[in-house]
Amino acid sequence: MSQHRRRAPANKVKQRRLVVAAVTAGTIALGVGVGVWAADGGGTSSATATRQPSDTGSAASSGATGTTTSPTPSPTRTYPLSKTPRTIPAVRSHTPARGPGWRPASGERVVVGAPELADEGRLVAGELGLVYAGESDDARAGDVRLELGGDKGANPESYTMTVRDGRVVVSGPGEAGVFYGTRTLKQEVHGGGSAPEGVVRDEPAKPVRGFMLDIARKPFSADWIEDRVRELGDLKFNQLGLHFSDDQGFRIASDTHPEVVSKDHLTKAQVKKIVDLAAARHIAVVPEIDSPGHLGAVLAAHPELQLRNVRGLAARGAIDISKEKSASIVDDLLNEYAGLFPGADWHLGGDEYRALTVSDPAASYPQLAAAARKAYGSGATVADLATGWLDDRADTVRAHGRTPRAWNDGFFRDTSVQPAEDIQVAYWTGKEIGARQPVEYLRAGRKLINYNDEFLYYVLGEPQTFVYPTGQRIYEQWTPRVLRGTTAVPAAYDGQILGGTFAVWCDLAGSQTQAQVAAGVRMPLRATAQKLWNPDKPSLSWAEFRALADRLG
């Protein structure tokens, strides 16, 4: 039965008209804080204001599809200019607009414009409780659309996210950028929030944004590592370093040399699952078999390769690089794992070779001095021999299409043999014998990755002079140009600094549990992510940043 509305008395109609007129005049006179929503969602004003939940229109149910759609903007509604979203890392640019924004609703779709984006589409659809609808050209209310496009010369990790007309479009020149756009969207709507109307344009400042984990000294479970991969992906990191061979253990199964593998280790199937999960989040896994030092686990199975000084005393963890078999066994392992780790980068280590930490290497290790002269001439030194070792291992991984990197104390001053130009410097310390300032490497044209042990080293048990780094200190004092200590190198070298890596070292493995490590690195990882994405002074205070991290989980 139909219902008929009763007509209001004439005097009440007149009163309502007077009230409406007064409100309209007052709004025009004030001219601030409120504006009529424009159909194109435009507006380039720098003014920002938070859209309150009440600004979101009610969802409408579609009888044809049986789905619930996002609020449809109405020209009769009024909205303040949207506020820049708060995410970690913070977006680089947001153009505000007037409109209801977007939030996920049951039954809404994620569609993609290219088959290459299927993984990104399925992932974000599952995370937000949406329907993955595959490739589609049609547009529906509430859609999240992922597209490849834009300037082909642009940063492949850049993206644009447009929220307009009750829909979201994330586009970028590469799959990685589109993925990062979905991470921003995920954070925006976390906990019932909404993606603000307008356009986000975003890209990282540095191409290397890494987290390194020492699984050699302390075995970590595959599940724990997978959890870190998911965390890293949401923070827009793009590298996971695995230091899996050291004096205390060799932690990945081997077919070529099973005798070197520790009892507690990861299977290749477990590693492949980690690598695949990381790849789905655009994270490359960077393996490290450190040599010619830190090979204690290998040498335990091959004591005949142990480096010994002139008195027959063993140099802990050091392999005798004067012996041909030493090179053979390390190359066997490098070649074997090249198939397991398909990423573009490989860490060769090269640090803390015991033969070069004594006052007179030639006198202490005459067999190395003799091998150096035989290989490189009468004036060659033990440092030349060690440099030649590094170059040979670089040749091994380069044959697999990998770019080599090595710790800065694996590069030696005044050698006749020079490290290959493409070996990147993983700069971590200035405490080694013959230490060189970072500028020396930069002046030589080398590319550096920042592992500054003053800020980015989380060393279990805090041995020697190490203390656990804090997120606040990284957030307030560190930038990628702060390579050593607390002093930044000149800005002219910024382009040679590829980025940075936060590292967990397990020197005193029993000092923390896996859960304690995860909790301890939580805020340092978020601060590092922020400063690698944008090294400028953050707009949020540390207290605000920490509160944001707590809200986002």
Side-chain angles (χ1 to χ4, degrees), residues 357-374:
T357 62
V358 298
S359 59
D360 190 345
S364 295
Y365 300 97
Q367 75 275 35
L368 299 185
R373 291 190 297 269
K374 180 179 178 181

Side-chain angles (χ1 to χ4, degrees), residues 252-310:
I252 297 178
S254 171
D255 299 319
T256 60
H257 291 282
E259 73 280 4
V260 308
V261 179
S262 301
K263 182 178 179 180
D264 194 346
H265 66 272
L266 298 174
T267 67
K268 286 190 174 180
Q270 288 175 313
V271 174
K272 186 179 186 304
K273 186 180 176 185
I274 291 168
V275 169
D276 290 345
L277 178 67
R281 284 156 173 77
H282 298 275
I283 298 169
V285 181
V286 181
E288 181 190 359
I289 299 177
D290 201 345
S291 79
H294 294 282
L295 282 172
V298 172
L299 292 170
H302 292 275
E304 74 280 4
L305 302 180
Q306 177 78 56
L307 177 65
R308 295 181 180 275
N309 70 9
V310 70

Side-chain angles (χ1 to χ4, degrees), residues 224-503:
W224 190 93
I225 298 172
E226 289 175 18
D227 285 343
R228 300 290 74 70
V229 168
R230 296 183 184 95
E231 180 180 15
L232 294 173
D234 283 352
L235 294 171
K236 304 185 175 94
F237 282 90
N238 63 3
Q239 288 191 0
L240 167 65
L242 288 182
H243 176 93
F244 65 92
S245 169
D246 213 302
D247 298 341
Q248 296 80 358
F250 193 102
R251 302 293 180 183
I252 297 178
S254 171
D255 299 319
T256 60
H257 291 282
E259 73 280 4
V260 308
V261 179
S262 301
K263 182 178 179 180
D264 194 346
H265 66 272
L266 298 174
T267 67
K268 286 190 174 180
Q270 288 175 313
V271 174
K272 186 179 186 304
K273 186 180 176 185
I274 291 168
V275 169
D276 290 345
L277 178 67
R281 284 156 173 77
H282 298 275
I283 298 169
V285 181
V286 181
E288 181 190 359
I289 299 177
D290 201 345
S291 79
H294 294 282
L295 282 172
V298 172
L299 292 170
H302 292 275
E304 74 280 4
L305 302 180
Q306 177 78 56
L307 177 65
R308 295 181 180 275
N309 70 9
V310 70
R311 293 184 295 161
L313 298 177
R316 184 184 183 213
I319 201 166
D320 190 334
I321 59 177
S322 69
K323 297 181 177 181
E324 290 185 9
K325 190 178 177 183
S326 294
S328 296
I329 192 171
V330 173
D331 282 347
D332 286 346
L333 294 167
L334 294 175
N335 287 321
E336 176 182 356
Y337 292 112
L340 187 60
F341 297 101
D345 300 287
W346 198 290
H347 205 314
L348 297 170
D351 64 313
E352 297 179 328
Y353 188 47
R354 299 272 176 167
L356 292 167
T357 62
V358 298
S359 59
D360 190 345
S364 295
Y365 300 97
Q367 75 275 35
L368 299 185
R373 291 190 297 269
K374 180 179 178 181
Y376 302 111
S378 61
T381 65
V382 176
D384 286 316
L385 189 68
T387 302
W389 170 277
L390 180 65
D391 282 342
D392 289 344
R393 307 294 77 74
D395 287 342
T396 301
V397 300
R398 199 181 292 110
H400 296 283
R402 308 299 193 267
T403 298
R405 73 177 62 158
W407 300 111
N408 63 286
D409 51 335
F411 295 78
F412 308 107
R413 182 188 277 125
D414 301 327
T415 54
S416 60
V417 179
Q418 292 296 306
E421 292 182 0
D422 67 333
I423 302 177
Q424 299 169 351
V425 180
Y427 198 100
W428 72 282
T429 188
K431 301 182 179 73
E432 76 277 13
I433 295 175
R436 285 181 283 171
Q437 292 288 340
V439 169
E440 290 193 42
Y441 299 92
L442 295 167
R443 283 175 183 159
R446 290 201 176 273
K447 294 180 179 179
L448 272 64
I449 300 168
N450 192 326
Y451 290 77
N452 188 339
D453 63 349
E454 181 84 10
F455 290 92
L456 305 180
Y457 262 35
Y458 191 95
V459 185
L460 297 198
E462 300 181 307
Q464 302 176 47
T465 59
F466 289 108
V467 295
Y468 291 127
T470 66
Q472 182 173 2
R473 192 157 181 259
I474 295 168
Y475 189 76
E476 295 177 344
Q477 299 179 31
W478 180 82
T479 74
R481 285 172 44 216
V482 180
L483 286 155
R484 173 176 172 174
T486 59
T487 303
V489 299
Y493 294 116
D494 187 66
Q496 291 172 240
I497 302 169
L498 300 177
T501 296
F502 186 89

Side-chain angles (χ1 to χ4, degrees), residues 62 83 186 260 287 305 316 327 382 384 404 494 513 516 525 532:
S62 170
K83 266 192 173 181
K186 179 183 176 182
V260 308
L305 302 180
R316 184 184 183 213
V382 176
D384 286 316
D494 187 66
T513 65
Q516 287 172 323
L525 276 179
L532 289 170

